[in-house]
Amino acid sequence: MEGTKLKVDRLTAYYGDNPAIREISLDFPERRVTAIIGPSGCGKSTFIRCLNRMHETGAHTRVEGKVLLDGEDIYDDDPVRVRRRIGMVFQRPNPFVTMSIYDNVSVALRFNGRHPREYVDQVVIRSLQQAALWDEVSDRVDAPATSLSGGQQQRLCIARALAAGPEVLLMDEPCSALDPLATSKIEELIGQLKQDYTVVIVTHNMQQAARVADFTAFIYLGGLVEFGPTEQLFERPKERLTEQYITGRFG
Amino acid sequence: MNEEPPGGPKIRAGYDLEIRHLKNRAVEMGDWALQMFHDGWEAFEAGDLEAAQKVLDRGAQLDRYDEDMEHAAIAFLVLRQPTAIDLRTAAALLKITTHLDRIGRLGFDMARITSPETSGDKDDLTRVLERMDAVVESMVRQALDALATDQVSLARDLFRRDDEVDQLHREANRRIIDLMVKTPAAAPRLAMDLLVARHFERIADNACKVGEKTIYALTGQRRSEYLPRHPVVPYVLEAPRKDGRARK
């Protein structure tokens, strides 16, 4: 069994007085893909947003419990440093629309002190390559990010996240706004990314979870119902509730 | 947030109807196969060529059942992309139909080797074969019942009954060989009996496989989890029986 990269210990997250997730404990294995599934409103997105301290940026929000990255609680660390180590990709591609492809990727470095141009070039190229976008944009990195297709924009956002040098990559339904071809490219990319990163992906698409994830967690009504190897969860779930959800009997 | 009604989620039927329909078609195919086996044995035992021909003529329909089931199960897999119990059921049905096809096919084979030269002085052997037929037919029926009514216990009981068939099979083999030694002229006919005894044993095995796949569909458990196989050795190396005769 691989080591644990990210350990969640009795995590509860509130909006005002209402807990959106309750007492979730979960270990994310290093360099593996873990999918979070569950019906709309179950707390998946809230949960993943707690993993890099995004949740607390909202008004009247609060978190209890621990999130340990390599054994250190991220809630004792500087939030900016945490988000550099734990990157995030969102549901809709959100490139900086006024910036070029190049600048969208290098922006992470610019906020991170001054670097020689050669170094920035290297990081941009490597990030675009890792995001499987380089071959498609290598001759036009100065073009506006908005000239890219939706699928390319999403890979650009992945490249931007990678440029910050994260160890964990959180993806909140990264393919839900993409067509099947762009989706399959992102899925293929996720398979490659796990060689270097620990990936957590929230998805509504059961088959996507089955295709990309090594482990899957099912969350319902803010609580963790079941966590296990993806194959086991989809073929023979232990919990009746999991079975009812994944077979489309509710949700 | 949290829009589910109190008292748990609202449960929908999901693919229950489609799954039920698939299972019913498999059971229908199983009935057809069982009838072929039943009539095949009766034709063989009676040496009735006309009855045998009727069984042989049903082979094409068995093929159609097999192809239709495969098509329906694959369509379900592709169109619904099922998970958990639905996935296991579709996968199990793909295998179950293969076993049902074999059951019918073995009945077909009994009809194929039917010959008018049936009778002879072999009452003891006939009794063993008739006993095999009775047990094996009821096993196939039980396997189909387990599939039709989702009964794990009924399916599990098949493994116990299979042991009885194995014992009868060895008993039949022993008697046939004894008869071959005593009446060499009857050897061609006895060779057919040997085949039929073997067919019964194969049908019982296929019935067990249907039960095994039914259990998998319903529980996700594989055979090795509830019935580990014991080590086996060649018959001649097995301990002699209490009556001093070597086992055959």
Side-chain angles (χ1 to χ4, degrees):
Chain A
M1 185 74 183
E2 48 282 307
T4 297
K5 182 69 186 175
L6 198 60
K7 184 180 181 69
V8 177
D9 187 18
R10 299 168 65 105
L11 190 75
T12 300
Y14 296 87
Y15 288 95
D17 293 332
N18 301 319
I21 56 167
R22 285 186 309 270
E23 304 249 322
I24 292 185
S25 296
L26 194 55
D27 289 359
F28 293 95
E30 185 163 19
R31 292 176 204 225
R32 289 287 181 275
V33 179
T34 302
I36 314 283
I37 61 168
S40 296
C42 74
K44 304 185 293 289
S45 291
T46 303
F47 176 64
I48 199 174
R49 286 165 61 87
C50 290
L51 302 184
N52 72 343
R53 302 191 58 173
M54 291 279 290
H55 177 67
E56 65 195 72
T57 60
H60 311 297
T61 54
R62 180 161 65 87
V63 173
E64 284 169 6
K66 287 179 181 167
V67 177
L68 306 171
L69 177 64
D70 290 333
E72 308 270 334
D73 193 345
I74 63 169
Y75 284 88
D76 293 338
D77 201 350
D78 166 35
V80 175
R81 206 176 93 91
V82 166
R83 287 173 206 140
R84 204 176 296 138
R85 292 180 72 192
I86 307 179
M88 191 150 190
V89 177
F90 298 87
Q91 192 165 351
R92 292 195 160 274
N94 57 350
F96 298 118
V97 291
T98 57
M99 290 186 190
S100 67
I101 294 168
Y102 185 96
D103 288 346
N104 257 281
V105 182
S106 64
V107 71
L109 294 175
R110 274 194 275 155
F111 284 120
N112 200 3
R114 289 186 62 79
H115 301 280
R117 175 78 192 197
E118 296 77 30
Y119 174 74
V120 178
D121 282 354
Q122 270 178 17
V123 172
V124 168
I125 293 172
R126 193 188 62 222
S127 302
L128 286 168
Q129 283 170 336
Q130 280 187 311
L133 188 58
W134 176 244
D135 290 347
E136 293 163 49
V137 301
S138 60
D139 58 348
R140 53 182 175 122
V141 290
D142 293 324
T146 47
S147 66
L148 298 175
S149 72
Q152 287 173 325
Q153 286 185 17
Q154 191 62 309
R155 279 180 280 147
L156 180 65
C157 294
I158 293 172
R160 186 178 62 195
L162 297 179
E167 295 152 58
V168 178
L169 201 55
L170 309 175
M171 303 176 118
D172 191 356
E173 298 189 48
C175 302
S176 63
L178 305 182
D179 69 24
L181 187 64
T183 297
S184 84
K185 280 192 180 166
I186 301 277
E187 288 180 0
E188 202 178 311
L189 173 59
I190 292 170
Q192 289 160 11
L193 288 175
K194 74 172 179 184
Q195 289 171 13
D196 299 309
Y197 306 95
T198 301
V199 180
V200 181
I201 177 172
V202 165
T203 178
H204 256 128
N205 181 330
M206 233 51 84
Q207 278 66 37
Q208 178 168 75
R211 283 192 297 267
V212 305
D214 302 291
F215 296 88
T216 298
F218 170 50
I219 294 181
Y220 182 64
L221 294 180
L224 176 69
V225 176
E226 184 165 353
F227 173 71
T230 301
E231 208 179 290
Q232 177 193 304
L233 202 107
F234 281 89
E235 191 199 342
R236 42 195 283 188
K238 291 196 171 83
E239 301 295 330
R240 190 162 172 75
L241 209 53
T242 312
E243 169 130 345
Q244 287 170 339
Y245 177 67
I246 65 173
T247 58
R249 282 166 174 80
F250 80 83
Chain B
M1 200 61 36
N2 303 356
E3 295 145 4
E4 298 294 342
K10 208 188 270 172
I11 302 300
R12 295 190 289 117
Y15 302 133
D16 288 351
L17 268 179
E18 273 178 80
I19 286 280
R20 179 47 57 200
H21 184 61
L22 277 176
K23 280 187 184 172
N24 288 347
R25 285 169 78 166
V27 171
E28 191 182 315
M29 175 183 177
D31 284 336
W32 187 266
L34 172 60
Q35 203 57 45
M36 281 180 71
F37 147 46
H38 173 85
D39 294 350
W41 157 248
E42 282 202 343
F44 175 85
E45 195 185 24
D48 183 340
L49 292 176
E50 204 178 319
Q53 188 59 52
K54 281 184 184 159
V55 174
L56 298 175
D57 292 344
R58 280 185 248 158
Q61 175 63 31
L62 187 67
D63 284 344
R64 276 194 290 277
Y65 271 122
D66 194 23
E67 286 165 13
D68 286 355
M69 272 306 300
E70 188 175 290
H71 180 78
I74 287 174
F76 180 77
L77 285 168
V78 171
L79 298 176
R80 303 299 185 204
Q81 301 192 322
T83 50
I85 190 169
D86 299 339
L87 171 65
R88 298 196 306 265
T89 304
L93 284 173
L94 276 172
K95 298 200 92 171
I96 283 173
T97 50
T98 300
H99 295 295
L100 295 177
D101 177 68
R102 291 199 182 139
I103 289 171
R105 201 56 54 194
L106 288 163
F108 181 97
D109 290 346
M110 290 189 197
R112 195 90 160 94
I113 58 172
T114 294
S115 142
E117 320 155 27
T118 351
S119 51
D121 184 16
K122 49 166 196 171
D123 285 353
D124 286 354
L125 172 62
T126 303
R127 265 196 297 279
V128 175
L129 291 179
E130 280 173 354
R131 174 75 191 140
M132 280 189 96
D133 168 61
V135 176
V136 175
E137 273 194 39
S138 94
M139 281 178 72
V140 175
R141 214 174 297 275
Q142 185 172 329
L144 295 176
D145 282 351
L147 176 63
T149 58
D150 297 340
Q151 286 192 69
V152 173
S153 57
L154 215 51
R156 277 210 188 180
D157 179 60
L158 287 165
F159 301 110
R160 178 186 63 77
R161 306 191 67 194
D162 192 42
D163 291 342
E164 184 186 353
V165 174
D166 285 345
Q167 277 171 17
L168 285 166
H169 184 213
R170 290 165 74 171
E171 175 73 10
N173 284 354
R174 190 178 60 75
R175 287 178 190 275
I176 290 167
I177 289 165
D178 283 352
L179 283 166
M180 279 177 164
V181 171
K182 275 187 213 150
T183 51
R189 165 66 206 174
L190 288 164
M192 297 300 120
D193 290 332
L194 204 57
L195 272 180
V196 165
R198 167 79 177 155
H199 289 351
F200 281 138
E201 188 269 334
R202 297 308 312 148
I203 291 169
D205 267 1
N206 280 289
C208 286
K209 291 301 270 187
V210 171
E212 188 182 313
K213 296 301 160 197
T214 300
I215 293 168
Y216 169 71
L218 295 171
T219 69
Q221 279 194 309
R222 295 197 161 82
R223 189 190 147 118
S224 57
E225 292 168 65
Y226 54 84
L227 195 67
R229 291 194 188 274
H230 300 296
V232 289
V233 297
Y235 285 146
V236 290
L237 298 182
E238 280 186 2
R241 301 189 326 182
K242 280 188 186 142
D243 58 13
R245 277 191 300 205
R247 282 174 183 265
K248 289 205 175 113

